[in-house]
Amino acid sequence: MKKLFPWVRANPNIFYLALFILMIVPGLILFFAVENDSGFWIYICLSTVVIANVVAVTQ
């Protein structure tokens, strides 16, 4: 992954901040989506959190 994105080496703090935001914000949206029983937003939020976790693990 570091070969694909050379700016990650230069600014790792920005990368980790973006990952943190991608894990927290969908969780907040997911809370309201579950209350409204909106299936589409539930799947979008859960997939965003899963992708962010995969990127964090492979980093």
Side-chain angles (χ1 to χ4, degrees), residues 13 30 33 41 43-44 46-47 51 56:
N13 293 336
L30 185 62
W41 287 108
Y43 293 127
I44 294 296
L46 288 176
S47 63
I51 290 170

Side-chain angles (χ1 to χ4, degrees), residues 24-44:
I24 298 300
V25 172
L28 296 173
I29 296 171
L30 185 62
F31 174 74
F32 294 110
V34 169
E35 282 186 347
N36 294 329
D37 198 28
S38 175
F40 174 75
W41 287 108
I42 293 172
Y43 293 127
I44 294 296

Side-chain angles (χ1 to χ4, degrees), residues 2 7 9 12 19 23 29-30 32 38 42 45 49 51-52 54:
K2 289 183 180 180
W7 57 269
R9 286 187 192 165
L19 279 178
M23 289 185 204
I29 296 171
L30 185 62
F32 294 110
S38 175
I42 293 172
C45 293
V49 170
I51 290 170
V54 168

